[in-house]
Amino acid sequence: MSDKEETLQHVEDKSTDYNEVNNSVAPDSVVQLNCTAVTESRLRLKIDLYIVPIASLMYLFCFIDRANIGNAKLAGLEKDLGMTGYDYNTLLSIFYISYIIFEIPSNMACKWLGPGWVLPALTLGFGICSVCTAFVHTLSSAAGVRFVLGMFEAGLLPGISYYLSRWYRRQELAFRISMYMVMAPLAGAFGGLLASAILKLPSFGNLETWRMIFAIEGIITIGIAIIAFLTLTDRPDTARWLTQAEKELATTRIRSESAHVGVAVVLDRLDMKKTIRGVLNPVTLVMAWIMLLVNVTVQGLAFFTPTIVRTIYPDRSVISQQLYTVPPYIIGAVSTLLIPYLSSRFNNRLIFFVLVPPIMMMGYTMFLASSDPRVRYGATFLIAFGSFPVGVLCNAHSAANVVSDTARASAIGAVVMLGNIGGLISTWSFLPFDAPNYYIGNGLNLATGTITLLTAAILWLWTTWDNKKRDKKGHQQQLESLAEMSSQQLEDMEWRHPKFRWRV
């Protein structure tokens, strides 16, 4: 064998055989572990039971502590703080300024310090902020607390998605992400019920009316953070609730999906090249754009559904209006679980990016076409069904189309960071002068749904085209281009690696 042939063979081995690039697990045991479907299924269920419930609870109260300001508005927040004109919209916007700024830094800290510590600490922080909101008496103090709330909440959504990517295969990830992100619509439903129940109390200590909402929900959040500190573990090999064989299988499952492009470890060190490649990955950028568009709807629905309900049922009591906000979120929760489950079942996310937005578009068309309260209330069900699962698919699809752990952390952080610019836009989409029909807000959301559909269709076509283009390059030519590279250089290539293929 010539020197050149030996070099090419070395690259072939380095790029494709994950049994040999990692010496911590013997090759025979890797084969045995991966061949036992029942063992893998049992492990997956165990991870589901230990990881998903606490992550879901953290995100539930993250969303409640963010969106309960809409319930507080109905209960007298504006009057007590002397808010007029666009003060409410300004208060909502303050949150998103810090929320956007701290998104990527928070997710990189999650990788650096470990999600088992960072995620509970963030939860504790925004729980304390919620309690503090109960004691504000001016608009400026409320704005200050909302800014700090955004700092703590910024890292939770992308942090949990990144955390789950340490435990699940790419095909499994969308449904697991949906199992915690379903808490966003459930927070709208449960938050309305909880706010209604709290408002029935005469007082909580010296606090009354809307102040009780923030205080009680904040205390619950702090309790969940304490539980998370005690139960979350950074990664499979530090989980006390896994046997040694289960740790090896959990680690090998994740490693095997990137071994063909030269990745030898599951958790790599922070690397600036991979961080940048994760952010500038074409799929990451498109997912961030779609996340921005859909967040205009999702966040707007959270903040303004109580207001919309009040315009539809102006003569109902405050508690009754709170309860009317619940059913659309239940439908949104069903959609958030159903669509990602189907995407995992068929191992295809792009098709659902194309199928789901038209449902949301139908809802906003009904809003614009009719002033009948029953028609418009019915439209909120279509909007919730068509908008909530898109964010899950964005996180899952960006995670599925990067290679290393570092790139995954930065990619998910970028998607959520740029996506939340849509949340900032949503705070100004339903303006007081546009009430009660909100033609501007509804028209804007119809436009974002349409653009989401077109963007997803274009991405699907480009993905198919680029994969075919990569397939046309000869296998020998690919190996020759990699022959002079070190293992680190191969890892740093990320999606530029010749053997990389985009996932649909």
Side-chain angles (χ1 to χ4, degrees), residues 57-243:
L57 278 175
M58 287 191 295
Y59 190 62
L60 171 65
F61 277 88
C62 173
F63 209 90
I64 285 177
D65 290 351
R66 175 194 320 173
N68 56 12
I69 193 170
N71 302 109
K73 180 185 178 185
L74 283 182
L77 171 87
E78 286 182 303
K79 180 180 178 181
D80 288 354
L81 297 186
M83 296 167 62
T84 58
Y86 299 110
D87 286 347
Y88 180 69
N89 302 80
T90 301
L91 188 59
L92 297 182
S93 299
I94 291 293
F95 168 87
Y96 278 103
I97 293 173
S98 57
Y99 195 81
I100 293 169
I101 292 172
F102 288 94
E103 204 77 62
I104 292 180
S106 183
N107 223 37
M108 300 316 294
C110 197
K111 174 176 175 54
W112 181 40
L113 300 174
W117 292 101
V118 173
L119 297 179
L122 294 174
T123 306
L124 178 63
F126 62 72
I128 293 173
C129 287
S130 182
V131 174
C132 291
T133 308
F135 297 93
V136 301
H137 292 278
T138 63
L139 177 61
S140 58
S141 59
V145 174
R146 291 289 293 182
F147 185 86
V148 178
L149 180 72
M151 289 174 55
F152 284 112
E153 290 202 359
L156 199 74
L157 191 158
I160 295 177
S161 293
Y162 162 64
Y163 180 49
L164 294 180
S165 73
R166 289 186 168 192
W167 296 83
Y168 294 102
R169 293 183 187 272
R170 290 179 174 89
Q171 183 176 349
E172 303 162 353
L173 190 58
F175 183 56
R176 269 65 189 190
I177 290 177
S178 77
M179 291 171 73
Y180 89 84
M181 286 189 69
V182 72
M183 294 301 161
L186 286 181
F190 180 66
L193 290 172
L194 185 57
S196 300
I198 291 172
L199 290 173
K200 289 182 179 179
L201 300 174
S203 65
F204 179 71
N206 294 325
L207 303 175
E208 296 179 349
T209 61
W210 59 269
R211 298 181 185 277
M212 295 190 297
I213 297 176
F214 289 105
I216 293 175
E217 292 176 355
I219 290 171
I220 296 172
T221 304
I222 292 171
I224 292 171
I226 294 172
I227 295 172
F229 272 118
L230 299 174
T231 58
L232 285 189
T233 181
D234 279 341
R235 55 192 184 277
D237 56 359
T238 61
R240 291 191 296 267
W241 42 272
L242 291 178
T243 66

Side-chain angles (χ1 to χ4, degrees), residues 266-286:
V266 174
L267 300 180
D268 58 339
R269 293 183 178 181
L270 276 174
D271 183 307
M272 185 54 66
K273 284 187 178 180
K274 284 184 278 191
T275 299
I276 294 173
R277 290 270 165 87
V279 173
L280 298 182
N281 182 307
V283 170
T284 298
L285 296 176
V286 174

